[in-house]
């Protein structure tokens, strides 16, 4: 007999319809008790339950007409009581009473659902038949092997999340997952909807048991970018593309390729995982097509100038990690050792995927540090190979840090020319298109190219400073004290916000200094500070005029000094390792490199911001909005400078925009892993459990504020959760937040350094799985000492910060 077109109802109604109908899953026996009937005859219902359900333990669950509707699930809103002994009338009546009480004034119109407790539980979880983020056609299965309420209650970190394209030709890694997916397909057919939220359990014999089936409320009336697309064709093309890119390459070391959103010039942090075409193309033009490789070759690494670092998979940006790893191998290293080293790096990342946002610290060896000999000993190189590699790193590091005219000093001088050149272009009589072209050229030559070198020097600086701790020359407190002594752009911003609030600095001067900043550095749709000042700094605008000093000022910079004995001890180590500089020069280099990285970024983003505003102005002239121009590839604008056709500018751009909007539907609909190891990963994958970077050893408990609420909530004393670690979010540090969590970002990202300077407890680069989990809680505890993030219940608006902060 064929059953079709069942109707989703209350929890109990839906499960009752499925009994005896399902072929690929089961529903446990159940008793439905209308509240009004139970209140009239509780003893009669007790006997009916005992007669119907023979299990010694029962689950007493809510089944309300307010739950599981098309627009709202109200998941967890009403009570459920588990493990109720059936032989104890008082316990069962008490459990039923708890569920009824949770209904409030509407109790008489509801019912109570009672089922046997499932005791043979191998795992349990929730399966969504659409990706919750983009409502794309994927099965997203989150499960745990530690209890039936772990996933639904969010009580543990033992969860795994498996993502599978609905038409995937690749079998699941475990047989029960394939069985569950088959059951999901059956439910979609029975209810004639592709948007379901399914709670399930799996027995030791891999039988699928359904606890609940309800509509996926988020999908009701929401736009569905992938609904009309043939994503199976797109993924087949992507499978073939990754297979081709993964083959051995004659001018590159490494037997295969990997692709990730976070290594090195991490696009997930800077432009996001689904950037609009303008942001993506600008990032490629300004940095990842050639600029990055020119800088690496200049600093003594392998020449990769013909290899783009970033590849776009239907608009989703990925770093080609094999190319990236090649670019960290010293040019002076012999080819045989270089080939071996590239494969070692690739295999280490496959074995430790949680390190993919920390490759420069935990996978590759890109400079010589005081603990380098010990670290190289774990790579599996021969003693001769290790010695050659060690010497190549030492030579490269000495060249970067040398005292007179080093590479770092040259880049600092170069970036200082950018403001003058940028102003000259803006003051010229060049046409607007020509100005955009030359702003881009100058931004590359005098902005992003020297910035790339300065950023490389800053990575070397941080690694050297960390090695001081590793070999016992610095304590963790020394390390923190040194960072606290830095005077960065971010600290200056915080000080200037306070000066503005105290009427020491005028609004006009504040805007002149910082007006070009925006949270999405490459995003034309992200307002600059000077365009939305009252949104980014509402306290400063709404506060009454204050006398200087009446508000708590930012912590002043504290100088860091070494004792003569400490200095002599460090110099001995430097000399013994073959470094060609003193500790005083090294600490000066570390300080200047970290400070210059922020300063040079600050300067080149002025030019980048002007490029975006000029592009917006160009769009306005031809009747195109900022939203339209976000879909323009910057190469289309550059071509307007060097080529002339019969079409006018507006017509040419409109054609590009129409095509880009159609293409962007694939960008929105496709869901890919953060680390692609093999072509099959485009069809199905596990969300990797990231290993976040904990900044400071502080402990803080506070309410959570999500990125969407940043501009309409007071974030003072709160833990703020944002997706990226973009420096445009520096305005947060002027709002006295209690802690920070980012989904993306590495150990040496802007936000990691910034939080370390301030002593602000932070979790940088939590990854998709953990970040999404933490966004569901109202309060969190960040424990930097134990490297934990714990969800908390509570209503106190005041954070509790340990003395270690």
């Amino acid at each position: 007999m064929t059953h079709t077109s069942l109707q989703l109802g209350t929890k109990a109604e839906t499960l009752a319809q499925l009994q005896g109908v399902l072929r690929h899953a089961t529903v446990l026996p159940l008793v439905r008790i209308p509240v009004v009937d139970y209140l009239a005859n509780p003893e009669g219902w007790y006997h009916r339950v005992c007669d119907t359900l023979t299990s010694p333990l029962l689950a007493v669950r809510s089944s309300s007409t307010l739950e599981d509707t098309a627009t709202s699930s109200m998941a967890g809103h009403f009570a459920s009581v588990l493990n109720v002994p059936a032989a104890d009338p008082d316990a069962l009546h008490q459990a039923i009473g708890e569920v009824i009480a949770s209904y409030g004034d509407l109790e008489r119109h509801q019912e109570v659902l009672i089922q046997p407790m499932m005791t043979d539980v191998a795992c349990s979880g929730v399966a969504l038949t659409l990706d919750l983020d983009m409502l794309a056609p994927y099965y997203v299965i989150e499960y745990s092997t530690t209890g039936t309420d772990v996933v639904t209650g969010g009580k543990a970190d033992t969860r795994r999340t498996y993502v599978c394209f609905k038409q995937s030709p690749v079998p699941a890694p475990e047989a029960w997952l394939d069985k569950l997916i088959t059951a999901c397909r059956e439910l979609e057919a029975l209810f004639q909807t592709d948007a379901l939220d399914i709670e399930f359990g799996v027995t030791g014999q891999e039988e699928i048991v359904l606890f609940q089936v309800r509509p996926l409320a988020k999908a009701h009336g929401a736009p569905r970018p992938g609904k009309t697309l043939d994503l199976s064709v797109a993924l087949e093309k992507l499978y073939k593309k990754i297979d081709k890119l993964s083959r051995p390459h004659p001018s590159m070391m490494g037997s295969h390729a990997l692709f990730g959103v976070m290594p090195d010039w991490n696009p997930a942090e800077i432009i996001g995982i689904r950037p609009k075409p303008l942001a993506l193309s600008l990032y490629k033009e300004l940095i990842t097509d050639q600029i990055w490789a020119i800088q690496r070759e200049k600093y003594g690494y392998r020449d990769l100038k013909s290899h783009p670092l970033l590849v776009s998979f239907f608009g989703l940006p990925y770093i080609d990690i094999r190319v990236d790893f090649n670019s960290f191998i010293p040019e002076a290293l012999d080819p045989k050792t270089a080939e071996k080293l590239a494969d070692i790096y690739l295999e280490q990342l496959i074995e430790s995927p949680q390190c993919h946002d920390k490759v420069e610290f935990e996978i590759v060896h890109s400079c010589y540090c005081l603990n380098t000999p010990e670290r190289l000993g774990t790579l599996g190189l021969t003693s001769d190979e290790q010695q050659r590699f060690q010497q190549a790193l030492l030579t490269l590091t000495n060249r970067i840090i040398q005292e007179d005219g080093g590479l770092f000093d040259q880049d600092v001088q170069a970036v200082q020319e950018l403001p003058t050149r940028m102003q000259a272009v803006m003051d010229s009589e060049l046409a607007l298109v020509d100005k955009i072209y030359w702003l881009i050229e100058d931004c590359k030559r005098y902005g992003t190219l020297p910035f790339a070198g300065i950023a490389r020097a800053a990575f070397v600086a941080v690694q050297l400073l960390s090695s001081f701790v590793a070999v016992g020359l610095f304590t963790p407190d020394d390390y923190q004290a040194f960072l606290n002594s830095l005077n960065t752009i971010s600290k200056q911003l915080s000080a200037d916000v306070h000066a503005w609030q105290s009427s020491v600095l005028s609004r006009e001067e504040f805007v002149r200094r910082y007006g070009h900043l925006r949270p999405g550095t490459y995003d034309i749709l992200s307002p600059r500070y000077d365009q939305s000042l009252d949104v980014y700094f509402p306290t400063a605008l709404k506060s009454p005029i204050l006398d200087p000093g009446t508000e708590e000022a930012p912590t002043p910079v504290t100088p860091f000094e070494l004792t003569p004995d400490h200095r002599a001890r460090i110099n001995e180590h430097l000399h013994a390792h073959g470094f060609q500089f003193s500790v005083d020069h090294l600490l000066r280099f570390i300080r200047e490199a970290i400070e210059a990285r922020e300063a040079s970024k600050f300067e080149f983003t002025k030019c980048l911001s002007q490029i975006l505003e000029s592009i917006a102005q160009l769009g306005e002239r031809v009747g195109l909005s900022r939203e339209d121009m976000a879909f323009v590839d910057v190469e289309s604008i550059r071509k307007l400078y060097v080529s002339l056709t019969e079409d006018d500018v507006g017509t040419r751009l409109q054609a590009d925009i129409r095509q880009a909007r159609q293409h962007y539907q694939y960008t929105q609909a496709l869901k890919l892993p953060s680390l692609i190891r093999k072509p099959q990963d485009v069809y199905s994958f596990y969300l990797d459990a990231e290993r976040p970077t904990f900044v400071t050893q502080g402990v803080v408990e506070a309410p959570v504020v999500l990125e969407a609420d940043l501009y309409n909530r007071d974030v003072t004393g709160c833990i703020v959760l944002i997706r990226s670690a973009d420096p445009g979010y520096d305005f947060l540090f002027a709002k006295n937040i209690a802690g920070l969590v980012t989904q993306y970002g590495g150990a040496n990202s802007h936000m990691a350094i910034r939080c370390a300077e301030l002593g602000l407890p932070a979790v940088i680069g939590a990854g998709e799985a953990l970040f999404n989990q933490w966004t569901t809680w109202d309060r969190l505890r960040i424990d930097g000492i134990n490297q934990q993030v714990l969800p908390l219940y509570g209503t106190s608006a005041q954070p509790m910060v340990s003395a270690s902060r």
Side-chain angles (χ1 to χ4, degrees), residues 712-726:
N712 53 35
R713 274 191 61 183
D714 181 4
V715 299
T716 302
C718 295
I719 295 173
V720 173
L721 276 65
I722 59 176
R723 294 281 177 184
S724 73
D726 189 288

PDB file of all heavy atoms in Angstrom, residues 712-726:
ATOM      1  N   ASN A 712      22.455  47.629  17.154  1.00  0.00           N
ATOM      2  CA  ASN A 712      21.221  48.010  17.849  1.00  0.00           C
ATOM      3  C   ASN A 712      21.199  47.539  19.290  1.00  0.00           C
ATOM      4  O   ASN A 712      20.145  47.507  19.907  1.00  0.00           O
ATOM      5  CB  ASN A 712      19.994  47.473  17.094  1.00  0.00           C
ATOM      6  CG  ASN A 712      20.093  45.977  16.818  1.00  0.00           C
ATOM      7  OD1 ASN A 712      20.619  45.221  17.623  1.00  0.00           O
ATOM      8  ND2 ASN A 712      19.585  45.564  15.663  1.00  0.00           N
ATOM      9  N   ARG A 713      22.372  47.131  19.814  1.00  0.00           N
ATOM     10  CA  ARG A 713      22.457  46.730  21.215  1.00  0.00           C
ATOM     11  C   ARG A 713      23.684  47.345  21.860  1.00  0.00           C
ATOM     12  O   ARG A 713      24.707  47.579  21.208  1.00  0.00           O
ATOM     13  CB  ARG A 713      22.566  45.197  21.336  1.00  0.00           C
ATOM     14  CG  ARG A 713      21.232  44.489  21.352  1.00  0.00           C
ATOM     15  CD  ARG A 713      21.415  43.033  21.749  1.00  0.00           C
ATOM     16  NE  ARG A 713      21.989  42.874  23.078  1.00  0.00           N
ATOM     17  CZ  ARG A 713      22.287  41.683  23.609  1.00  0.00           C
ATOM     18  NH1 ARG A 713      22.074  40.578  22.924  1.00  0.00           N
ATOM     19  NH2 ARG A 713      22.808  41.606  24.820  1.00  0.00           N
ATOM     20  N   ASP A 714      23.563  47.601  23.142  1.00  0.00           N
ATOM     21  CA  ASP A 714      24.720  48.048  23.910  1.00  0.00           C
ATOM     22  C   ASP A 714      25.579  46.820  24.194  1.00  0.00           C
ATOM     23  O   ASP A 714      25.141  45.875  24.849  1.00  0.00           O
ATOM     24  CB  ASP A 714      24.256  48.694  25.216  1.00  0.00           C
ATOM     25  CG  ASP A 714      25.424  49.202  26.059  1.00  0.00           C
ATOM     26  OD1 ASP A 714      26.579  49.122  25.587  1.00  0.00           O
ATOM     27  OD2 ASP A 714      25.176  49.668  27.184  1.00  0.00           O
ATOM     28  N   VAL A 715      26.814  46.808  23.704  1.00  0.00           N
ATOM     29  CA  VAL A 715      27.678  45.634  23.850  1.00  0.00           C
ATOM     30  C   VAL A 715      28.624  45.757  25.034  1.00  0.00           C
ATOM     31  O   VAL A 715      29.475  44.890  25.250  1.00  0.00           O
ATOM     32  CB  VAL A 715      28.496  45.382  22.563  1.00  0.00           C
ATOM     33  CG1 VAL A 715      27.575  45.126  21.395  1.00  0.00           C
ATOM     34  CG2 VAL A 715      29.430  46.548  22.273  1.00  0.00           C
ATOM     35  N   THR A 716      28.480  46.803  25.815  1.00  0.00           N
ATOM     36  CA  THR A 716      29.341  46.975  26.983  1.00  0.00           C
ATOM     37  C   THR A 716      29.226  45.766  27.908  1.00  0.00           C
ATOM     38  O   THR A 716      28.134  45.335  28.261  1.00  0.00           O
ATOM     39  CB  THR A 716      28.946  48.244  27.768  1.00  0.00           C
ATOM     40  OG1 THR A 716      29.039  49.377  26.907  1.00  0.00           O
ATOM     41  CG2 THR A 716      29.845  48.437  28.979  1.00  0.00           C
ATOM     42  N   GLY A 717      30.371  45.206  28.294  1.00  0.00           N
ATOM     43  CA  GLY A 717      30.371  44.076  29.209  1.00  0.00           C
ATOM     44  C   GLY A 717      29.888  42.780  28.604  1.00  0.00           C
ATOM     45  O   GLY A 717      29.561  41.843  29.328  1.00  0.00           O
ATOM     46  N   CYS A 718      29.827  42.677  27.271  1.00  0.00           N
ATOM     47  CA  CYS A 718      29.332  41.473  26.611  1.00  0.00           C
ATOM     48  C   CYS A 718      30.451  40.767  25.842  1.00  0.00           C
ATOM     49  O   CYS A 718      31.475  41.364  25.523  1.00  0.00           O
ATOM     50  CB  CYS A 718      28.199  41.819  25.632  1.00  0.00           C
ATOM     51  SG  CYS A 718      26.722  42.483  26.436  1.00  0.00           S
ATOM     52  N   ILE A 719      30.227  39.485  25.563  1.00  0.00           N
ATOM     53  CA  ILE A 719      31.096  38.741  24.659  1.00  0.00           C
ATOM     54  C   ILE A 719      30.493  38.855  23.262  1.00  0.00           C
ATOM     55  O   ILE A 719      29.347  38.474  23.042  1.00  0.00           O
ATOM     56  CB  ILE A 719      31.205  37.270  25.080  1.00  0.00           C
ATOM     57  CG1 ILE A 719      31.904  37.150  26.444  1.00  0.00           C
ATOM     58  CG2 ILE A 719      31.965  36.462  24.027  1.00  0.00           C
ATOM     59  CD1 ILE A 719      31.902  35.744  27.013  1.00  0.00           C
ATOM     60  N   VAL A 720      31.258  39.396  22.329  1.00  0.00           N
ATOM     61  CA  VAL A 720      30.776  39.637  20.972  1.00  0.00           C
ATOM     62  C   VAL A 720      31.244  38.514  20.062  1.00  0.00           C
ATOM     63  O   VAL A 720      32.418  38.116  20.093  1.00  0.00           O
ATOM     64  CB  VAL A 720      31.280  40.994  20.449  1.00  0.00           C
ATOM     65  CG1 VAL A 720      30.936  41.171  18.980  1.00  0.00           C
ATOM     66  CG2 VAL A 720      30.673  42.125  21.278  1.00  0.00           C
ATOM     67  N   LEU A 721      30.317  37.983  19.244  1.00  0.00           N
ATOM     68  CA  LEU A 721      30.630  36.928  18.289  1.00  0.00           C
ATOM     69  C   LEU A 721      30.503  37.481  16.879  1.00  0.00           C
ATOM     70  O   LEU A 721      29.430  37.930  16.472  1.00  0.00           O
ATOM     71  CB  LEU A 721      29.683  35.729  18.452  1.00  0.00           C
ATOM     72  CG  LEU A 721      30.048  34.691  19.527  1.00  0.00           C
ATOM     73  CD1 LEU A 721      29.981  35.294  20.914  1.00  0.00           C
ATOM     74  CD2 LEU A 721      29.148  33.471  19.436  1.00  0.00           C
ATOM     75  N   ILE A 722      31.621  37.475  16.135  1.00  0.00           N
ATOM     76  CA  ILE A 722      31.629  37.945  14.754  1.00  0.00           C
ATOM     77  C   ILE A 722      32.258  36.873  13.872  1.00  0.00           C
ATOM     78  O   ILE A 722      33.042  36.048  14.330  1.00  0.00           O
ATOM     79  CB  ILE A 722      32.386  39.280  14.590  1.00  0.00           C
ATOM     80  CG1 ILE A 722      33.844  39.139  15.055  1.00  0.00           C
ATOM     81  CG2 ILE A 722      31.682  40.389  15.334  1.00  0.00           C
ATOM     82  CD1 ILE A 722      34.673  40.398  14.841  1.00  0.00           C
ATOM     83  N   ARG A 723      31.913  36.893  12.588  1.00  0.00           N
ATOM     84  CA  ARG A 723      32.395  35.848  11.684  1.00  0.00           C
ATOM     85  C   ARG A 723      33.885  35.993  11.399  1.00  0.00           C
ATOM     86  O   ARG A 723      34.641  35.043  11.482  1.00  0.00           O
ATOM     87  CB  ARG A 723      31.629  35.899  10.357  1.00  0.00           C
ATOM     88  CG  ARG A 723      30.163  35.558  10.495  1.00  0.00           C
ATOM     89  CD  ARG A 723      29.949  34.067  10.601  1.00  0.00           C
ATOM     90  NE  ARG A 723      28.532  33.744  10.794  1.00  0.00           N
ATOM     91  CZ  ARG A 723      28.079  32.521  11.002  1.00  0.00           C
ATOM     92  NH1 ARG A 723      28.906  31.503  11.056  1.00  0.00           N
ATOM     93  NH2 ARG A 723      26.788  32.298  11.169  1.00  0.00           N
ATOM     94  N   SER A 724      34.322  37.177  11.014  1.00  0.00           N
ATOM     95  CA  SER A 724      35.710  37.344  10.595  1.00  0.00           C
ATOM     96  C   SER A 724      36.473  38.200  11.588  1.00  0.00           C
ATOM     97  O   SER A 724      35.887  38.832  12.471  1.00  0.00           O
ATOM     98  CB  SER A 724      35.769  37.992   9.206  1.00  0.00           C
ATOM     99  OG  SER A 724      35.418  39.365   9.286  1.00  0.00           O
ATOM    100  N   ALA A 725      37.807  38.203  11.407  1.00  0.00           N
ATOM    101  CA  ALA A 725      38.663  39.010  12.277  1.00  0.00           C
ATOM    102  C   ALA A 725      39.154  40.237  11.518  1.00  0.00           C
ATOM    103  O   ALA A 725      40.294  40.651  11.639  1.00  0.00           O
ATOM    104  CB  ALA A 725      39.844  38.178  12.776  1.00  0.00           C
ATOM    105  N   ASP A 726      38.280  40.817  10.706  1.00  0.00           N
ATOM    106  CA  ASP A 726      38.617  41.969   9.882  1.00  0.00           C
ATOM    107  C   ASP A 726      38.980  43.162  10.762  1.00  0.00           C
ATOM    108  O   ASP A 726      38.283  43.452  11.739  1.00  0.00           O
ATOM    109  CB  ASP A 726      37.411  42.317   8.996  1.00  0.00           C
ATOM    110  CG  ASP A 726      37.751  43.354   7.948  1.00  0.00           C
ATOM    111  OD1 ASP A 726      37.938  44.524   8.329  1.00  0.00           O
ATOM    112  OD2 ASP A 726      37.834  43.000   6.767  1.00  0.00           O
TER     113      ASP A 726
END
